[in-house]
Amino acid sequence: MIGLDGVSANALSDTIGAIYDCALDPHQWSDTCRKIAVLCESTGGGICVHDMRHVQNDQLFVFGYQPEFLDKLGSHYAESPMAAADIVAKIGHVSALSMEELELAESRFHKEVLKPFGLLDIVWFPALRTGGRMASMHASRSDEAPHYQHREISLFKLLSPHVCRALTISDALDIRALRSEILEKTLDVLVAGVFLTARDGRVVYMNAAAERQVRTGNSIRIVNNRIFPADPAARAALSKSIDEASRDDIDKDMSEHSMAIPGVDGAGYVATLLPIDRGERRGIVAPLAASVALFMQDPVQSPLMPGEAFARLYKLTGGELRVLLALAQGLSGKEAADMLGISEPTVRTHLQHIFCKTDTPRQSDLLRLLQNSTPAIRGPQRPALVPDPS
């Protein structure tokens, strides 16, 4: 194969097969990015999402980089040779920083971003454009290796159309991977423990509060990757409820089901089960392969739901409150719409109603009013104010 000496047909076939597997399961991109990097004899790589409307860059499935470098790259991306090249490049067009036309050697980007972190060269291609967001796949070499040569660039050119097709098939970055990250960040600020389970009862996700509840161990533990209440009766009831909530023949409009989870010391939690493997909920939690959501709440310590007093004060509807709390987590209007399973115009309509009810002229004023009126949420972070989109 011309220009690909040393790359076996089996290695290429396995890598291309892995790329198309990612179309159905975007979380496989992490391993696939590593496969591609190994073929190209690279020390780092991954997928970068560039949000051109909000001048934001998110690194997904990356490896081989210092966190400080990723921060530096994000803050300087707009002035990098990569940003300028991607504006005019076609989807799948492969470039390397060492290419003569990019004039990297004496650039400020090379001196201030790459060189301090020991990076010599980056090869990449734009892989997906959707709305105001663009995604690119990249691999990199440290300064202990030579610049990318014809062999590695040819290999990237061979793989790029397959990567572009796989991302287009599932629109993985917009619909699954990014939503998964947004979902996890949102769940981690909740006071209630959130457990997401698969159809067979295996726990596929726990938020920060749930992890703390398990570490305490008074009421629940994780045994064989399943929730294991200390109380035998609660254990049997929970197992039965998860099984029933996961069944295909369950009433699609089944509401949540609550039950007691006593602890060994007399305390315990109130658990609420919600089937999520159906309808719009299915799309939201698809990246986590979850069938049932279990909310574990301490009835003594849990404060008023964040924003509830605020909603009562200004007579907000449930829909308006959900939109407000989503925006308070730093989500854009589109991200809030995706998370809540509603349209972006509906988000804007709710927001206009909230402006009228709270007598606030702009989103920043509204979120500042909410922050000043709502008790702090216990957890690793607090709701952040976001700049006005205007």
Side-chain angles (χ1 to χ4, degrees):
M1 190 174 292
I2 299 175
L4 296 178
D5 295 338
V7 180
S8 71
N10 284 340
L12 278 176
S13 177
D14 288 346
T15 302
I16 292 172
I19 288 171
Y20 284 109
D21 286 342
C22 295
L24 299 178
D25 182 6
H27 278 96
Q28 293 193 37
W29 277 115
S30 180
D31 290 337
T32 301
C33 287
R34 290 179 180 271
K35 283 180 179 287
I36 293 173
V38 167
L39 284 181
C40 298
E41 299 179 3
S42 302
T43 55
I47 294 175
C48 184
V49 183
H50 323 291
D51 190 325
M52 291 166 281
R53 289 174 299 185
H54 299 97
V55 195
Q56 179 179 337
N57 298 280
D58 295 309
Q59 296 287 344
L60 301 178
F61 319 115
V62 297
F63 67 96
Y65 300 110
Q66 300 177 46
E68 295 80 7
F69 167 72
L70 296 177
D71 291 341
K72 192 86 169 181
L73 177 63
S75 62
H76 288 72
Y77 178 79
E79 61 198 56
S80 72
M82 295 181 289
D86 282 347
I87 290 175
V88 297
K90 294 181 179 179
I91 294 295
H93 178 78
V94 175
S95 302
L97 289 179
S98 54
M99 289 181 174
E100 184 176 348
E101 61 265 26
L102 294 182
E103 301 177 345
L104 174 70
E106 299 302 321
S107 69
R108 181 178 175 183
F109 180 78
H110 177 261
K111 294 177 181 178
E112 295 185 2
V113 180
L114 298 184
K115 193 171 182 181
F117 295 95
L119 289 176
L120 177 74
D121 202 358
I122 298 177
V123 60
W124 81 97
F125 56 87
L128 179 72
R129 287 192 181 99
T130 172
R133 186 179 288 121
M134 181 179 70
S136 62
M137 172 169 279
H138 58 86
S140 64
R141 279 183 171 176
S142 68
D143 53 15
E144 297 177 356
H147 289 285
Y148 284 111
Q149 304 298 315
H150 178 68
R151 171 188 175 278
E152 295 81 34
I153 294 175
S154 296
L155 180 58
F156 244 57
K157 288 180 178 178
L158 176 65
L159 296 177
S160 68
H162 301 292
V163 172
C164 296
R165 290 187 198 116
L167 289 177
T168 301
I169 288 170
S170 65
D171 199 9
L173 297 176
D174 273 333
I175 295 178
R176 293 188 173 186
L178 286 181
R179 182 177 295 173
S180 174
E181 290 198 350
I182 293 168
L183 175 62
E184 292 181 19
K185 290 177 181 177
T186 301
L187 292 178
D188 271 345
V189 302
L190 298 181
V191 174
V194 180
F195 300 81
L196 301 184
T197 72
R199 285 174 172 259
D200 60 2
R202 289 178 301 105
V203 175
V204 297
Y205 174 79
M206 294 187 293
N207 72 345
E211 291 176 353
R212 290 193 294 270
Q213 292 170 351
V214 170
R215 285 197 300 268
T216 300
N218 292 331
S219 300
I220 53 171
R221 292 181 293 143
I222 298 296
V223 177
N224 295 327
N225 204 27
R226 287 167 172 79
I227 304 171
F228 192 86
D231 181 81
R235 192 182 314 149
L238 179 62
S239 177
K240 180 181 179 182
S241 295
I242 291 177
D243 179 65
E244 290 178 348
S246 302
R247 286 165 40 193
D248 289 325
D249 59 351
I250 193 172
D251 182 352
K252 67 179 181 179
D253 295 322
M254 172 186 173
S255 61
E256 66 271 9
H257 169 67
S258 296
M259 59 186 299
I261 308 291
V264 295
D265 56 1
Y269 301 111
V270 174
T272 302
L273 286 85
L274 181 67
I276 53 178
D277 193 16
R278 51 186 51 81
E280 293 177 346
R281 298 171 188 166
R282 182 197 298 265
I284 294 174
V285 299
L288 301 176
S291 179
V292 177
L294 178 68
F295 301 89
M296 200 82 69
Q297 193 162 355
D298 186 330
V300 176
Q301 296 182 355
S302 296
L304 198 66
M305 185 187 80
E308 184 174 340
F310 185 89
R312 292 176 181 172
L313 179 63
Y314 292 103
K315 296 180 175 59
L316 304 186
T317 66
E320 291 164 355
L321 177 58
R322 286 191 290 273
V323 167
L324 176 57
L325 292 179
L327 296 175
Q329 301 306 319
L331 305 186
S332 68
K334 181 182 184 304
E335 291 167 339
D338 289 344
M339 177 62 64
L340 298 173
I342 60 179
S343 68
E344 197 170 356
T346 299
V347 169
R348 289 195 293 268
T349 298
H350 281 317
L351 193 54
Q352 290 301 319
H353 291 165
I354 300 171
F355 287 155
C356 292
K357 292 180 179 181
T358 59
D359 195 27
T360 52
R362 301 192 309 171
Q363 186 171 316
S364 59
D365 297 319
L366 170 63
L367 295 179
R368 189 174 298 109
L369 178 64
L370 173 65
Q371 188 179 54
N372 292 338
S373 305
T374 306
I377 298 175
R378 291 182 295 166
Q381 56 183 331
R382 294 180 57 168
L385 295 182
V386 296
D388 270 330
S390 56

